[in-house]
Amino acid sequence: MKLYCLSGHPTLPCNVLKFKSTTIMLDCGLDTTAALYFLPLPLVHSPRLSKLPGWVSKDGAINLEKKELLDLSTIDVILISNYHCMMALPYITEHTGFTGTVYATEPTLQIGRLLMEELVTFMERVPKAQAATCWKNKEIQRLLPGPLKDAVDVWSWRKCYSVQEVNSALSKVQLVGYSQKVELFGAVQVTPLSSGYSLGSSNWIIQSHYEKVSYVSGSSLLTTHPQPMEQSSLKNSDVLILTGLTQIPTANPDGMLGEFCSNLSMTIRAGGNVLVPCYSSGVIYDLLECLYQFMDSANLGSTPFYFISPVANSSLEFSQIFAEWLCQNKQSKVYLPEPPFPHAELIQTNKLKHYPSIHGDFSSEFRQPCVVFTGHPSLRFGDVVHFMELWGKSSLNTIIFTEPDFSYLDALAPYQPLAMKCVYCPIDTRLNFHQVSKLLKDIQPLHVVCPEPYTQPPPAQPHRSDLMLELQPPPMSYRRCSVLGLPFRRRYERIHLLPELARSLVPSEIKAGVSVATVSAVLQSKDNKHVLQPVPKPAPVPPSKKRKRVMEEPPEVLNPKPLLSGAVPLEPFLATLHKNGITEVKVEETADGHILHLQTEDVLIQLEEDATHIICDNNEPLRTALRDLVLRFLQKL
Amino acid sequence: MDSDCLSLLPAVCLVLADPKQSPPDDTSLEKLLDWFKELHSQSNGQVLLQHQPCLLEFISNVCTSKTTDPAILSFTLKLTGLLAATTQGFNLLDEGGLLVYVFEREAWGVCDLWEDASVRSGWLQGLLDMLKHQQALGFICGNGLIKVILQLQNDRSLFVACLANQLLVHILNFLTSSNMTSGSDVVGSSESSLRPDWVSASSEIMNAVVEALSSEDCPRVLQGLRLLSLVLSQCGEPIISTLWKDVLVPLEVFVNRGSESLIQTLITVLEAALGTPLLSQSEYKVEELLEAMLGDGNRKECFQCAALIVKLEKCPEVLKRKATDIILLPLQCVSTQPQAEKEINVVLKEQLSQKASCISLLMQSLSSLAQLAHTKYLFEDISIHSITSSVALLLRMCSGHCPSSLLHINAFTHLIGCCKVQRCGLDTLGALSVYEENLDLRKDIFGVLLDYLQSPDSHATVLKKTFQAVKRWIVCSPFPDLLQFISHDLFPVLEKRMCDLRWEVRDSTLEFITQLTAALNGNSGFSEALHTSGMVSVLLSSLADAEGYVRASAVAAVGEAVTASFHQTVLVSNSKLLEDALMQMMAILSQDTEGFPRRAVVQAFTSWLKGSHLIMALESSLSSVLSLGGSDFDWEVKMHTLELAEVLMEKTLTCCPYAVQNFGSSEETRFTQALIKFKDFGLFDLLFNSLFDCDRPVCEKACALLVKLGTLTAETADLDHSILVLNVCGNRWGDEVQRRYLNKQQAKASVCVTNGVTGSDEGTDCDLHCTKDISLPKILQILDLDDMQRMLTLSSDHVVNSPRSLMEDILSAAQQSEENIVDCY
């Protein structure tokens, strides 16, 4: 059993598990932090950005965490745990010869599609006249300024995929529901379990009859909108692959939410605008819910909230229809005449308005001061670029970062100098180290595999020994391009007996509760299932004596020799010898048993735990007689 | 009233002694006893028993009855003790042998009643009450009751055991004091005057203590120690030193053994010993024992012991220093680098590595330190500077910062985010602000406190403690340097906290601003910062908060800000601020649905008025505050309004010392002018309405104010009544005044008629008709305020609470139960 680690990013994992005869890819996250090396893609011509010295804006390119570690076409299935972890799917399923199936839950597929479409729209609506690749040459890159010259693996940066590729990739997705058991080639069974992180997010169990591997990715124990995490099914795992813990372990989501609300209301009270760069699905639902409750108490009732994204409408609507994937509290609302999420009410009362982009209706209805939720959190593309240009100059305005994926200082770099206030309130509801150590104590996996960063304190806080995994035995850690041999050996395989064969068996009890029988059968292996069938009767020998095809003749069936079991007890055996006229016996004790020396006959009998030897020279009748005496004490099968 | 009750007493006694009646509930019996006690204390010398023979009968009935209820028996025991507290009473009871009968449990009709704890405690209480004279003492000693009391000392009921201890101490005390008096009265040695059975009684008690201390049974030892500490704190010489000599050996054994369960009690004993003359004599080893308890800081329990010693008031200095050194060890161990390997205390290190003991040790350390700081204790071996830095560092560790040099102790992970230690540490840090030596640490400390204020993870209670600490440090520091900190660092954080999700945080932030503004009252730098930083507008917007408590705190904060603004050189914004504040506050007073904000508004006006600068500016709003506040449906708002009225009266009536005396204006005219002003403010409407309010405290307050006014009016002889005429029509108080007025007139008229005097000179006829306007002095006169005040001071339940009604209740309950029995047939 091997694990190929294609990504070293702890929250955007991409691992391949070879288990029995299957090759399973676990998630394919897309690390877009490389976008930070590029200039923002403005929607409206920005004289300031275009006047920046040095480099003209290039195509939005993306870092793809892949290496030629293994042939992608050999992958049988891809298991997706949440919509953030599937963004690289088109790179894997398209143009690689991939012929397998992708498994994901319905919300994961739908919201994942939205996020991909949004990304594509962001890229395609500001097309680039030219694409440049020459600079990626090591020689040229060395001469480049600033951080760009230190960027690693620039050759793996790829152009963004297209809508066709997205559609084609998503057509390979097979939908699954929580706890649904999916058979893979009869060899293993995979099951998604609710992970509590986002709509439709799942952990996976991959098990055969005798082995169980759990894959935990992006889970949350907090009470937010999705269905709570299912923990008990993760028990008794041989291996637990642990990824997707919180990226900001020092920030408690509750405290950050409070921080978010107080900064927001402080800005609004002072007459400023608030910009929240965020993904179009996920934490935004919780933010809107929190604000819904907070608005009245903070006297923000009349402040408009704008949600701008090409998929804003679909995202808000989709969230309301995935009732079965929601937490209990919201599920029960489905039976009432009110929608599960309160953002519907915000929309009805015109407090929350959503637009596909800043062009069109938005520009005529836009009113300040206001709160704008829009993407992309990297501040390099999407409508957020426009608001940064618009509001950056006033110290009354505030930008509040809630997504933890990007360093906010790097994201802000091209907009400096900035008068706008910046607040960093990363809200990451995924498991923290305290929760995960409690979880692991509970579910007791034999071995834990995790990304290397989890095995040491964060580099910025080397003294925080509480912010790492401390387990006994210590977890196996991986980094990008590691290949791990998972530390357990498969020892058993399940084989079926056909009823007619079973009927023919004669079990004999060798000790209480254990019976043994010999089986003679033909083992048939097909589709990773093994069946013992009765031995076919030898075909009646054809009258013709011509044996043309000797090879086809079934093997001659011999009755197998009986198997012996039991031990020869010394005293009764001596008594039997005596009865049979052998009286002069010298008994010698050895490490393994006894040696009997029959002095008159000059015969040695070695009685050992697992063997008995009769040594006598050229006296076959005596040997046979002695053998029969020994056999009296043993059971035959 | 008592004579009424006394006439009911025989019947009550019959009911209580009647075994067929179910006894009244405990509280009635307790109340009855209270009444007897009161009667007893009033009747100096006059013996109740002589006049109420029914009591004797009652007592003997209860004791002989075969079916007495334990509650009644317990009551009887207590009553007998009370009655026997005087020598006359004692003799009366003793004559018939009744006393022996009552306190000799073998003589009771029902023997197993002793099993009931209430009976045992009644028995002890009775003896305790009785023990007021030597005869009683003789009774106790002579009848061998000491033995029983000593047994009860180990009773399974805590109350009984505690009472037994008290009784024993009382007996010992009495023995000594009667010894002294008899020693001085009678010529001859005191030893000879002491009756032999008394000597044996005291030695019996003391032997029992020694025996208890040498026993292996922990609860018995504890009781012995408790008695010992009571003796030490309540008895005099020679008892104390005699007893101490005997118990010293077992005490030393306990101290050296250091068993955890006894520490607290041992310390109480030693604490009591510290307050006695034993301390000054070295052969009694009091100090030595305490020192032995501390050890050298290497025992688990020494920290608890040190924490207790630090709290002691009369503690020798050397000992206190040692205890202080030990109690500071956990704090220092966590927050300083060890000098050398050998210095690390193994026991301490082990304790600190476990979460529960680590937190409790640090809390003990911190709270002891805070206690020392409250008394401004002078630390000798350790500089207060380093202690304060340690506390600051500990607080940093609690929020997840730790210098790598301190990772030798793994206490750090226990501390991250630990609210308990945070709160305790912040309290201590605040207390440490009293030391001037810490002044140069101020920057660091404000840094820590600011971190706590900024941290999104700070719990609401932690924030509250942080605010308290910040205030203490700001108030004690020289101001000019602080201004930068306040306006650049503190105010922005406060502004954010006022937008916090949790209302508790918003509330404590506003409270903090109020306190800070009040504490820095008169500091122009601060008031200027408050106004120029935009803080005031944030405060004003908090007046519209969704939570009532927060609005109330916002009102108080705005009130203080307004007060502060008037200490400043006049700014244009000031009048604007007052205008805005007044408008919003009046809206709250008239419209807010919750009581707290409305109360706060009235209180703000009161404090403004007290400050006296603002009277002119407030005059326009005062009358509406008085009328709105007076007609509020929250009684506390009404009370606060009356307090406002009181301040207004005081301010207006007392002559301002600096005011230029108007030429020709006499005392009288000033008073009249004041009254006219009151009338304009609607003060009289408020007072008279409140006088007839449905809430008694409100009436009482209004009445007190009116009485004051009445006295002043009466003093001012030539007051022109015609000027102060009030309209008494169309309101409730007016109707009441009119009714009383008419009643009086009618009474007068009827008197006139019976006397045969025609009312030609008085003109009663015309007065009998509805009168619209009556002058103020006349109204005050009609209302008979003194009588009203007397009625109002009686609590509303004064009728049902009287002993008479209590007895009637007992009787009627008995009657009813009889009726019920009849009903059953």
Side-chain angles (χ1 to χ4, degrees), chain B residues 242-350:
Chain B
T242 323
L243 184 58
W244 187 259
K245 269 180 220 149
D246 293 339
V247 295
L248 195 54
V249 177
L251 279 182
E252 276 177 317
V253 173
F254 292 139
V255 167
N256 292 326
R257 205 194 294 155
S259 66
E260 217 165 325
S261 52
L262 296 179
I263 287 189
Q264 188 83 38
T265 333
L266 269 177
I267 288 279
T268 324
V269 169
L270 293 173
E271 185 181 7
L274 282 178
T276 63
L278 296 175
L279 179 63
S280 52
Q281 282 151 294
S282 60
E283 74 261 32
Y284 293 128
K285 297 184 179 172
V286 177
E287 219 177 311
E288 216 171 291
L289 282 176
L290 278 166
E291 205 162 340
M293 293 215 43
L294 285 177
D296 49 2
N298 251 333
R299 282 196 329 207
K300 233 169 131 185
E301 56 289 335
C302 69
F303 298 106
Q304 192 188 353
C305 186
L308 288 168
I309 290 179
V310 167
K311 279 187 204 133
L312 295 183
E313 276 176 13
K314 300 171 201 156
C315 179
E317 197 54 27
V318 184
L319 198 62
K320 196 157 189 170
R321 293 227 173 277
K322 191 167 176 193
T324 311
D325 287 351
I326 289 178
I327 200 62
L328 289 179
L329 278 178
L331 176 66
Q332 288 171 319
C333 186
V334 171
S335 58
T336 49
Q337 209 170 356
Q339 298 300 315
E341 199 57 34
K342 66 175 166 52
E343 274 187 37
I344 298 175
N345 182 329
V346 184
V347 179
L348 184 60
K349 202 172 174 188
E350 197 223 305

Side-chain angles (χ1 to χ4, degrees), chain B residues 204-226:
Chain B
E204 195 178 350
I205 297 174
M206 292 205 261
N207 284 340
V209 175
V210 180
E211 244 173 68
L213 292 196
S214 358
S215 109
E216 293 293 313
D217 182 23
C218 185
R220 219 177 133 202
V221 175
L222 277 176
Q223 280 303 340
L225 287 174
R226 276 185 202 133

Side-chain angles (χ1 to χ4, degrees), chain A residues 465-539:
Chain A
S465 56
D466 57 322
L467 302 183
M468 59 181 275
L469 278 181
E470 271 182 299
L471 299 173
Q472 258 337 303
M476 297 180 69
S477 66
Y478 68 80
R479 50 174 84 181
R480 189 173 176 215
C481 301
S482 300
V483 179
L484 301 183
L486 296 184
F488 74 96
R489 189 160 294 158
R490 294 183 47 225
R491 296 174 60 186
Y492 298 105
E493 186 61 273
R494 181 172 288 191
I495 296 175
H496 288 273
L497 283 175
L498 284 188
E500 50 215 278
L501 180 65
R503 238 185 326 233
S504 70
L505 296 183
V506 190
S508 54
E509 193 169 39
I510 54 162
K511 64 181 177 192
V514 181
S515 297
V516 178
T518 51
V519 186
S520 302
V522 171
L523 177 68
Q524 191 204 44
S525 288
K526 187 180 165 189
D527 288 347
N528 291 306
K529 292 222 175 352
H530 313 288
V531 181
L532 281 176
Q533 292 173 335
V535 184
K537 297 245 165 56

Side-chain angles (χ1 to χ4, degrees), chain B residues 654-673:
Chain B
T654 52
C655 170
C656 178
Y658 304 110
V660 185
Q661 290 278 326
N662 274 342
F663 191 70
S665 76
S666 67
E667 192 78 14
E668 285 72 28
T669 47
R670 268 217 310 282
F671 182 62
T672 321
Q673 274 164 3

Side-chain angles (χ1 to χ4, degrees), chain B residues 366-667:
Chain B
L366 287 169
S367 57
S368 301
L369 181 55
Q371 233 149 11
L372 290 168
H374 282 309
T375 55
K376 224 177 166 188
Y377 182 77
L378 293 173
F379 295 88
E380 259 175 12
D381 309 332
I382 326 156
S383 77
I384 187 67
H385 203 273
S386 80
I387 296 175
T388 313
S389 322
S390 289
V391 177
L393 188 60
L394 182 68
L395 284 170
R396 278 195 195 284
M397 287 166 87
C398 287
S399 50
H401 307 281
C402 182
S404 51
S405 60
L406 289 178
L407 291 170
H408 59 283
I409 292 207
N410 52 1
F412 173 54
T413 43
H414 306 322
L415 294 176
I416 298 171
C418 175
C419 285
K420 278 189 192 168
V421 177
Q422 286 177 341
R423 283 192 292 254
C424 203
L426 287 164
D427 268 346
T428 311
L429 193 64
L432 287 169
S433 64
V434 292
Y435 293 96
E436 288 89 5
E437 297 93 316
N438 284 335
L439 220 57
D440 55 330
L441 280 175
R442 217 178 48 196
K443 198 166 171 233
D444 186 35
I445 284 167
F446 279 129
V448 174
L449 295 174
L450 204 62
D451 275 351
Y452 270 80
L453 290 182
Q454 274 164 341
S455 163
D457 293 331
S458 290
H459 192 263
T461 52
V462 172
L463 281 173
K464 178 139 192 153
K465 295 275 180 196
T466 316
F467 283 134
Q468 285 166 358
V470 172
K471 195 200 128 196
R472 296 187 72 157
W473 279 90
I474 287 184
V475 169
C476 74
S477 307
F479 197 74
D481 328 350
L482 267 182
L483 212 54
Q484 178 81 3
F485 166 74
I486 290 179
S487 52
H488 282 82
D489 300 317
L490 189 59
F491 279 167
V493 182
L494 295 182
E495 234 173 276
K496 197 173 81 186
R497 286 297 174 194
M498 274 193 274
C499 297
D500 202 281
L501 266 184
R502 298 159 290 181
W503 70 262
E504 293 93 337
V505 174
R506 301 199 297 272
D507 193 48
S508 38
T509 312
L510 287 163
E511 271 174 13
F512 167 71
I513 295 169
T514 315
Q515 286 164 2
L516 197 63
T517 319
L520 298 176
N521 190 3
N523 187 317
S524 58
F526 177 78
S527 341
E528 199 177 321
L530 194 67
H531 286 85
T532 49
S533 63
M535 206 57 185
V536 170
S537 69
V538 183
L539 289 179
L540 283 172
S541 66
S542 288
L543 288 174
D545 197 279
E547 182 66 41
Y549 298 111
V550 181
R551 288 197 299 277
S553 300
V555 169
V558 170
E560 276 303 329
V562 169
T563 312
S565 73
F566 279 83
H567 287 297
Q568 241 181 311
T569 46
V570 183
L571 286 175
V572 190
S573 61
N574 284 352
S575 58
K576 174 83 169 65
L577 166 65
L578 184 63
E579 203 176 294
D580 286 352
L582 279 180
M583 197 178 73
Q584 291 202 45
M585 282 176 152
M586 291 313 289
I588 287 177
L589 186 60
S590 58
Q591 287 154 23
D592 203 298
T593 50
E594 279 177 78
F596 291 100
R598 300 200 304 270
R599 287 176 211 167
V601 170
V602 183
Q603 275 172 309
F605 271 89
T606 312
S607 75
W608 283 339
L609 216 51
K610 276 185 188 158
S612 82
H613 291 276
L614 302 166
I615 290 196
M616 291 305 283
L618 292 178
E619 259 176 23
S620 55
S621 338
L622 262 180
S623 66
S624 31
V625 173
L626 290 178
S627 80
L628 282 170
S631 55
D632 202 282
F633 40 82
D634 181 289
W635 72 271
E636 282 194 58
V637 176
K638 288 186 278 196
M639 276 306 268
H640 289 312
T641 314
L642 287 172
E643 272 157 28
L644 174 66
E646 189 176 17
V647 176
L648 180 66
M649 279 163 63
E650 264 167 30
K651 280 274 165 188
T652 322
L653 291 174
T654 52
C655 170
C656 178
Y658 304 110
V660 185
Q661 290 278 326
N662 274 342
F663 191 70
S665 76
S666 67
E667 192 78 14

